[in-house]
Amino acid sequence: MLKKRIIICLDVKDGRTTKGVKFQNNIDIGDPVEMAAEYYRQGVDELVFYDIIASARGRGPILDLISRVAQQVFIPFCVGGGIGTIEDIRSTILAGAEKVSLNSQAVRNPGLITEGARVFGNQSIVLGMDVRRDPTKPSGFGTTINGGRVDTGLDALEWAKKGVSLGAGEIVLNSMDADGTKNGYDIELTRLISENVNVPVIASGGGGTPKHLADALTEGKADAALIASMVHNGTYTVGQIKNELNAMGVPMRM
């Protein structure tokens, strides 16, 4: 069985790490550079940095901050938020990121996935998806953009398949309904997407205990679990989570 990954997400707003619940009521929780360095010391497998207001404000990535974070971590580092052109992808990778996450911009311009994959390789292009339950959609799930503010009308399963066919090498699948609740991942959503695409799927939204991660990585068939609140608030360290997952029989990179 392939080893599973733990990925920590830093949501960044105005240069500071922030955390909310279901994308609302965000509070400042610290300096992203210092936090990245600490999580790297703790042994996290990967780091994701999302500029949560770049797309809504119509601006590109904060390259200076990305560069400062990249200097602190020697693990895969993915950046999302405001990346709307091949030049944005290039400058983000040159600033130190291994991957870029395309979400709102990919919906607006699906060709960006294809062009990005052609120039930088599929492994560098991550499809970010912010998904809500929607009974009007064939799969029961719909896709949103602009930090959950705009409903795209796209069925989540169809968009996931299309994104992969266009060249995305990985999917970060965020449940808007579970985001920040610490009540567990949306296992139904995670399994639905994982079973229907041939690229790694990262479960996101709702992680509160190691058991939640175990459920997403086994029942949900995710390749990795993305966490934020449970480490940001000091409830767990990365090492504690990995030890508990190992004890539950989930193979981790120790």
Side-chain angles (χ1 to χ4, degrees):
M1 190 174 176
L2 279 175
K3 293 199 170 164
K4 304 289 190 175
R5 293 172 286 152
I6 290 179
I7 302 172
I8 291 179
C9 178
L10 300 175
D11 284 334
V12 176
K13 179 181 180 183
D14 298 325
R16 300 283 293 175
T17 308
T18 180
K19 193 71 197 93
V21 176
K22 299 185 182 181
F23 287 39
Q24 303 287 319
N25 306 319
N26 285 66
I27 56 168
D28 183 319
I29 57 171
D31 174 24
V33 180
E34 291 172 8
M35 292 174 75
E38 173 56 27
Y39 294 137
Y40 175 65
R41 279 195 293 275
Q42 288 184 21
V44 73
D45 299 307
E46 295 189 24
L47 202 64
V48 174
F49 171 115
Y50 284 130
D51 186 330
I52 61 171
I53 53 172
S55 286
R57 288 187 179 169
R59 64 157 169 75
I62 315 172
L63 299 174
D64 167 59
L65 189 55
I66 292 164
S67 174
R68 284 163 50 218
V69 170
Q71 286 165 23
Q72 299 294 325
V73 300
F74 302 93
I75 48 175
F77 173 39
C78 178
V79 172
I83 297 172
T85 66
I86 285 295
E87 209 34 67
D88 287 339
I89 298 175
R90 180 176 284 110
S91 58
T92 301
I93 290 173
L94 287 173
E98 275 78 22
K99 311 176 191 181
V100 296
S101 177
L102 305 177
N103 187 328
S104 305
Q105 304 292 353
V107 170
R108 295 193 185 98
N109 174 20
L112 185 61
I113 301 173
T114 307
E115 186 65 2
R118 185 185 69 76
V119 176
F120 303 102
N122 303 68
Q123 78 289 340
S124 293
I125 306 299
V126 178
L127 179 66
M129 295 177 59
D130 292 327
V131 175
R132 273 203 184 96
R133 286 181 174 264
D134 182 346
T136 69
K137 298 290 186 291
S139 70
F141 296 94
T143 308
T144 69
I145 56 171
N146 281 16
R149 297 177 192 87
V150 178
D151 183 354
T152 65
L154 294 168
D155 177 80
L157 178 58
E158 288 309 308
W159 176 231
K161 288 178 175 175
K162 183 175 181 188
V164 171
S165 73
L166 289 169
E170 194 167 62
I171 292 175
V172 172
L173 181 65
N174 190 41
S175 165
M176 301 281 299
D177 303 300
D179 180 77
T181 63
K182 295 181 279 188
N183 293 328
Y185 298 88
D186 189 324
I187 302 300
E188 182 190 350
L189 169 64
T190 305
R191 187 169 52 236
L192 173 73
I193 304 299
S194 295
E195 288 181 338
N196 283 286
V197 297
N198 61 352
V199 299
V201 172
I202 300 163
S204 172
T209 68
K211 177 69 167 66
H212 292 156
L213 277 76
D215 291 344
L217 296 168
T218 55
E219 290 174 50
K221 302 191 176 179
D223 297 87
L226 189 141
I227 56 175
S229 304
M230 62 190 290
V231 284
H232 293 341
N233 60 20
T235 310
Y236 295 93
T237 66
V238 174
Q240 287 171 326
I241 296 168
K242 286 189 172 186
N243 285 333
E244 289 200 33
L245 286 169
N246 250 350
M248 291 180 220
V250 182
M252 303 304 299
R253 301 173 181 186
M254 301 304 287

